[in-house]
Amino acid sequence: MKTLSLMMPLDMHLHLRDEEMLKIVAPLTSYSFSGAIVMPNLVPPVTTLEGVKEYRHRIKEAMEADDFEPYMTLFYQHYSREFLESARDHITAVKIYPSGATTNSEGGVVNFDIEPMRETLEAMSDLGIVLCVHGETMGFVMDREAEFMSVYEMLAVNFPKLKIIMEHITTREAVETLDKYENLYATITVHHLMITLDDVAGGMLRPHLFCKPIAKRPHDRDALLKIALAAHPKVMFGSDSAPHPKHKKESCGCGAGVFTAPIALQLLCEIFEENNALENLQAFVSDNAQRIYGVCPEYKEVVLVKRDFTVPQMYGEVVPMRAGEILRWSIERVD
Ligand code: DOR
Ligand code: ZN
């Protein structure tokens, strides 16, 4: 039977939430990943050093594995150099959200004028703290990411030593922008490698595929696939797995988020195998991230086998992507 071994998989964009939800989802990621960049969009968002330390502690308690590192982030606001110096050993990145762009982003940035951000971003650049960006304007929903490219360019030019991650990219425009500036990098989700807007809303509405940024056109998905399958050295896997309770997804006012944590590696195997690119999956799910972020993850070997796996209908109160469907790859064991 065909097998594939992945060393130290990393999820460079993950939502773990807090309290009961954290207890459900944290073990699902720590089982098969060595580490993850943990998003700070709790309610209220993580903006203090105490908040980071306490959240990390709660994550570690909820994980059922010691061989997992949560790479912590702060929710962007103005931070002084002094504060960032004190925080630097406890965080990996700062995540910036445009206000109102997605789930729990109300405290985000209202406009991206450089000058008010200069002190914080210069200090981050000097201290080697990465900037993760949710790159969407508040324009027409299909154009939001493409319209944001000028902001990425402005950030890249003004802070040339700052590592800037274009999170969960969904468009051809983002793929093109990536190579224009040395200090731009990107994460790509597994769902954006698979679906387009048609899958979300082309037939009956499928709330469990609704996320921000919304899935785009076939040519956008193809552009993402091309760089992911080639394990382009500036891209990394980041699931953006975002658990919402079933009743909040299957309701009027469905929250944005696709829950993929427990099926991400299996789906990636399927996609990379179908495209004859399995040999590049290791770089996409770990090696590129290790190099870009300069992290040395805990040892973990995940052995996948080409055997059918039926996705559970629910994990706790969360419906995963592909619930009840059969995937072609399973996780055989984790060493
Ligand atoms: O779909 C999304 N869900 N996109 C985000 O940026 C946030 C996330 C969440 O926190 O649910
Ligand atoms: Zn996210």
Side-chain angles (χ1 to χ4, degrees):
M1 207 174 273
K2 198 165 181 179
T3 64
L4 181 76
S5 188
L6 291 174
M7 302 303 295
M8 282 94 87
L10 294 170
D11 182 347
M12 302 313 275
H13 185 130
L14 178 67
H15 298 270
L16 287 173
R17 313 295 193 219
D18 215 340
E19 300 176 347
E20 288 314 302
M21 186 62 94
L22 172 64
K23 290 181 188 143
I24 293 166
V25 300
L28 299 172
T29 286
S30 64
Y31 172 62
S32 57
F33 288 88
S34 279
I37 296 275
V38 179
M39 290 296 135
N41 62 331
L42 304 182
V43 184
V46 183
T47 54
T48 65
L49 189 47
E50 271 317 290
V52 166
K53 288 184 192 168
E54 286 166 13
Y55 188 32
R56 181 174 185 280
H57 183 72
R58 295 196 296 280
I59 294 168
K60 286 297 249 185
E61 295 231 291
M63 298 285 170
E64 283 163 8
D66 276 339
D67 56 352
F68 179 89
E69 185 59 35
Y71 301 115
M72 304 305 293
T73 63
L74 281 165
F75 190 97
Y76 178 90
Q77 58 182 31
H78 177 83
Y79 293 114
S80 68
R81 180 176 290 265
E82 197 184 4
F83 170 78
L84 290 168
E85 276 166 6
S86 69
R88 125 156 108 176
D89 291 344
H90 304 275
I91 60 168
T92 302
V94 172
K95 172 74 184 282
I96 194 163
Y97 287 93
S99 177
T102 186
T103 307
N104 304 339
S105 64
E106 290 70 23
V109 167
V110 175
N111 71 57
F112 279 81
D113 287 346
I114 286 288
E115 287 320 314
M117 298 196 291
R118 191 171 288 282
E119 181 189 354
T120 302
L121 297 184
E122 259 169 15
M124 285 171 56
S125 175
D126 295 342
L127 295 166
I129 300 169
V130 170
L131 179 69
C132 298
V133 183
H134 183 110
E136 290 195 284
T137 67
M138 294 309 280
F140 179 65
V141 69
M142 287 294 279
D143 298 334
R144 286 178 190 177
E145 184 173 289
E147 286 173 2
F148 198 84
M149 291 305 124
S150 58
V151 180
Y152 279 127
E153 299 201 9
M154 182 188 67
L155 290 169
V157 168
N158 276 275
F159 306 98
K161 296 268 175 307
L162 179 66
K163 282 194 173 166
I164 301 166
I165 318 287
M166 306 162 75
E167 296 290 345
H168 42 52
I169 58 171
T170 60
T171 56
R172 184 164 67 187
E173 287 83 353
V175 171
E176 286 163 5
T177 302
L178 181 64
D179 281 325
K180 285 195 196 156
Y181 300 91
E182 210 178 304
N183 56 334
L184 288 183
Y185 303 86
T187 57
I188 301 180
T189 74
V190 67
H191 51 284
H192 289 121
L193 292 176
M194 303 182 77
I195 64 170
T196 67
L197 183 63
D198 253 6
D199 297 290
V200 186
M204 301 254 271
L205 186 66
R206 293 169 71 191
H208 299 291
L209 297 181
F210 172 66
C211 65
K212 295 290 177 63
I214 193 105
K216 304 292 189 312
R217 296 175 172 80
H219 73 239
D220 294 304
R221 181 186 53 189
D222 292 348
L224 300 176
L225 265 174
K226 189 169 170 206
I227 56 170
L229 294 169
H232 183 299
K234 295 174 89 183
V235 304
M236 312 162 267
F237 174 61
S239 70
D240 199 18
S241 179
H244 292 255
K246 183 174 196 270
H247 70 274
K248 294 233 167 130
K249 292 293 285 178
E250 298 178 6
S251 77
C252 178
C254 161
V258 180
F259 184 61
T260 54
I263 59 163
L265 292 179
Q266 299 90 317
L267 282 177
L268 285 170
C269 281
E270 205 167 299
I271 297 168
F272 276 65
E273 187 195 28
E274 270 170 19
N275 291 281
N276 299 314
L278 269 183
E279 70 279 9
N280 289 339
L281 186 51
Q282 175 64 37
F284 182 64
V285 296
S286 185
D287 301 354
N288 287 358
Q290 290 187 46
R291 198 182 54 252
I292 293 166
Y293 270 92
V295 293
C296 292
E298 302 286 335
Y299 181 86
K300 190 172 273 178
E301 179 177 3
V302 181
V303 180
L304 292 114
V305 58
K306 195 166 180 201
R307 184 191 310 122
D308 287 359
F309 166 67
T310 306
V311 180
Q313 292 290 349
M314 305 269 279
Y315 291 89
E317 52 176 347
V318 184
V319 178
M321 185 182 176
R322 305 285 293 268
E325 293 179 37
I326 294 170
L327 309 186
R328 298 294 160 219
W329 286 78
S330 310
I331 295 180
E332 169 83 349
R333 61 172 207 278
V334 180
D335 296 331

